[in-house]
Amino acid sequence: MKKIYSPIPWLQLQHYLYAVCRKCRIVKAQVLLRKTDPYCRDCFMKYAVHKFRSTLGKARALQHNEHVLLAYSGGLSSGSMIHLIKQGLEASDSNKMKLVIKPSLLHIDEGGILNLPKEERKASADFILEYAKRNCLDVYICSLEYSLAADISGVKLQKNSYEVEPSVYANQLEQLFGSVKSLTAKEDLLLRLKQRLITLLATHLNYPKVFLGPNATRLAGQLLSAVGQGRGAQIAQEIGFADSRTGVVFLRPMREFVDKEVAYLANFLEVDSLCLPTLSSKLGPTASIGRLTEEFVVTLQANFPATISTLFRTSDKLKSNVGVDRSSSEFKDDSRCLLCLSAIEESTLCSASTARSISQTISRSGPSGLNDVESEPYSTNAQQQSAACNANCSNPEKQCCKPMDAGTMKDWSVVLCYGCRVTMEDVKTPELVPINLQEELRLRSRRQMMRQSVEQFLL
């Protein structure tokens, strides 16, 4: 008799084929979680709704009748989030409290950097509009290229409609991403630009809270990726439930759901999804640090179901003490990264960033390059001038107030955290970033030079 080999272990196959729900112990199971936990459909939905509501409730992040912007990408995770919120708004069970919020959708069109044709971008927008109409929600759609605008006056935001129109920033965005060397830097830059645009729009529309849709599997990959890119001090904001660095509070209510649970949830709720390409589409798992870490987490989670929960329990205990002893005004002015708005670490002669800088200098120019290494980690040519400059000075004859050239633009150490510095090193044309960031770079460089000149006269 010929043996039939199954990719599913026999014990797991028995659970899947013959087990009854572990909760009600009556109905045959339709869901198998963590290899050994079978659930029927109704019990799984109760479990999912409870997990979603408890994630929101224990943080006490929402107020009565508060306006909330729901970031919707068209994927299963953000679609499931919207369905769960709609169920909470329409809750008829007397044992459950209603969600008393006023939600609206926000979709960012990324077709410009993906070189998608106009027809495909319009079709995706029509899907988003139809989805919002079925759920009786207003939807705002904006193109990603407006993330390069200096302020909200240069942004075109469309409500309950969308037309793909040429933008003055479209060519600038294409050139900016075309100048980035690595896929890792492209993905990180895309994340920062989307964060900047969503903050700009939420502030303009008076939405103090924004719901994001990434699930636990995605966030676990981002956790390891953040450590690999030198963002260990920012894990609490990058992965945690709430992120308030930008002034607008970003919330991640789906962070307790793994990919498998989201797939079951989307199937039972009949969630429609939109399949859109990404920067890493059709590329292997080693194309970027983000892809590699997510592939590692997914593979490990398949064999060890406690992997993601263990990573989350560890990350929830990590907090950064950067900026704790600083005054609020100083922390707001000069101690925040321009891209991610995290605290900029104080670099010393024995810091990791200084060691990396010395290592780069030696590898690029040989031992003779050590003679050019400055004792101060943030020193630039402009900062070596001993003459003080007033912050409001605009004399083009002075070194500190000259227009920004390529040499000045490349020195981002004054205004960026370590992780964003690594990203900007892969950008060949940093002068394509938003003009207000360039002005802030020049302003902070001048203030840094003033401090250094004053320190020479302090006893």
Side-chain angles (χ1 to χ4, degrees), residues 167-454:
S167 166
V168 293
Y169 303 104
N171 189 42
Q172 181 181 352
L173 183 70
E174 184 179 352
Q175 291 180 4
L176 177 61
F177 275 85
S179 70
V180 182
K181 302 175 186 177
S182 67
L183 180 60
T184 299
K186 282 185 179 181
E187 291 177 339
D188 188 66
L189 183 60
L190 172 61
L191 180 63
R192 305 306 157 193
L193 290 179
K194 285 176 65 176
Q195 182 186 52
R196 167 183 162 80
L197 180 58
I198 292 175
T199 301
L200 208 61
L201 298 176
T203 304
H204 173 66
L205 297 171
N206 294 321
Y207 282 86
K209 306 280 174 53
V210 177
F211 279 14
L212 304 179
N215 56 43
T217 305
R218 181 74 181 273
L219 291 174
Q222 289 182 5
L223 189 155
L224 297 180
S225 176
V227 174
Q229 296 179 68
R231 298 185 180 275
Q234 304 163 20
I235 286 180
Q237 293 81 27
E238 296 279 343
I239 311 299
F241 172 74
D243 181 2
S244 57
R245 289 175 293 180
T246 65
V248 174
V249 182
F250 290 90
L251 304 177
R252 303 180 180 94
M254 298 296 290
R255 74 183 299 265
E256 301 293 337
F257 292 85
V258 297
D259 269 348
K260 189 175 183 180
E261 292 173 335
V262 171
Y264 281 127
L265 189 60
N267 182 41
F268 293 150
L269 292 175
E270 298 181 352
V271 176
D272 293 330
S273 62
L274 181 64
C275 185
L276 290 173
T278 63
L279 290 173
S280 57
S281 293
K282 299 181 180 180
L283 298 177
T286 59
S288 68
I289 294 178
R291 281 293 300 271
L292 184 61
T293 54
E294 188 169 353
E295 181 75 13
F296 172 73
V297 168
V298 169
T299 304
L300 204 58
Q301 175 74 11
N303 297 319
F304 303 97
T307 298
I308 292 178
S309 60
T310 303
L311 284 172
F312 272 26
R313 284 198 303 270
T314 304
S315 66
D316 289 342
K317 298 175 184 177
L318 300 177
K319 292 184 179 180
S320 173
N321 59 357
V322 177
V324 170
D325 298 327
R326 302 178 185 180
S327 65
S328 59
S329 59
E330 181 186 359
F331 187 68
K332 181 178 180 181
D333 289 341
D334 279 354
S335 299
R336 285 192 181 274
C337 173
L338 277 187
L339 284 182
C340 67
L341 299 179
S342 300
I344 299 178
E345 308 87 347
E346 291 288 347
S347 183
T348 63
L349 293 178
C350 298
S351 66
S353 60
T354 305
R356 182 176 183 272
S357 176
I358 295 175
S359 177
Q360 282 184 337
T361 302
I362 296 174
S363 62
R364 291 173 181 174
S365 59
S368 60
L370 282 174
N371 298 327
D372 301 327
V373 177
E374 299 290 342
S375 59
E376 292 294 333
Y378 290 154
S379 62
T380 62
N381 293 332
Q383 294 166 1
Q384 292 171 5
Q385 303 291 331
S386 59
C389 171
N390 187 286
N392 296 320
C393 171
S394 58
N395 185 359
E397 298 297 327
K398 290 188 177 182
Q399 178 67 22
C400 58
C401 301
K402 284 184 178 180
M404 301 182 70
D405 55 7
T408 307
M409 284 299 302
K410 288 181 180 179
D411 188 8
W412 289 88
S413 59
V414 182
V415 296
L416 297 182
C417 65
Y418 177 78
C420 291
R421 237 178 288 155
V422 174
T423 297
M424 289 305 296
E425 285 178 1
D426 279 348
V427 180
K428 296 180 181 178
T429 55
E431 61 272 9
L432 293 174
V433 300
I435 187 65
N436 58 331
L437 299 188
Q438 299 179 27
E439 292 299 325
E440 182 67 17
L441 169 59
R442 187 176 70 172
L443 209 65
R444 291 194 191 182
S445 297
R446 288 158 55 185
R447 284 200 290 260
Q448 181 74 7
M449 187 187 65
M450 289 174 59
R451 291 191 187 100
Q452 289 185 351
S453 61
V454 170

Side-chain angles (χ1 to χ4, degrees), residues 43 57 107 110 115 122 130 153 155 265 290 306 343 404 426 436 457:
C43 290
H107 176 71
E110 304 175 19
N115 297 320
K122 185 66 171 65
E130 180 62 27
S153 61
V155 177
L265 189 60
M404 301 182 70
D426 279 348
N436 58 331
F457 303 100

Side-chain angles (χ1 to χ4, degrees), residues 109 112 121 143-149 165 167 169-170 173 197:
D109 179 16
R121 294 174 63 182
S143 184
L144 180 66
E145 48 256 33
Y146 290 105
S147 60
L148 300 179
E165 299 178 356
S167 166
Y169 303 104
L173 183 70
L197 180 58

Side-chain angles (χ1 to χ4, degrees), residues 103-154:
S104 297
L105 301 187
L106 173 65
H107 176 71
I108 305 298
D109 179 16
E110 304 175 19
I113 64 170
L114 300 173
N115 297 320
L116 297 181
K118 183 177 179 180
E119 296 76 15
E120 189 171 346
R121 294 174 63 182
K122 185 66 171 65
S124 300
D126 290 341
F127 173 88
I128 301 295
L129 293 171
E130 180 62 27
Y131 181 86
K133 185 177 180 181
R134 288 201 309 267
N135 288 279
C136 303
L137 294 171
D138 290 330
V139 58
Y140 299 92
I141 303 181
C142 185
S143 184
L144 180 66
E145 48 256 33
Y146 290 105
S147 60
L148 300 179
D151 51 43
I152 193 63
S153 61

